Amino acid sequence: MNLGLSRNTAMVTGAGRGIGLAIVRALTAEGAALLVDRAVAELGAVKVAS
């Protein structure tokens, strides 16, 4: 699927697990940049670039 998100940034709340994590994975697969909470990053749910 190509949603054309490569030039967009998204913020997903509740991205540490469940539906939120699935949404994060789908958005990153489509090329979107994400803003994530430090707590989510500490969970290791997503790979964070500094």
Side-chain angles (χ1 to χ4, degrees):
M1 182 183 317
N2 184 354
L3 300 176
L5 299 176
S6 63
R7 304 185 108 207
N8 293 289
T9 301
M11 181 178 77
V12 180
T13 60
R17 61 190 173 112
I19 294 171
L21 181 56
I23 291 169
V24 164
R25 289 179 174 156
L27 289 173
T28 56
E30 292 295 321
L34 294 178
L35 301 172
V36 295
D37 187 299
R38 184 174 58 145
V40 171
E42 288 174 357
L43 284 173
V46 294
K47 183 177 179 182
V48 178
S50 53

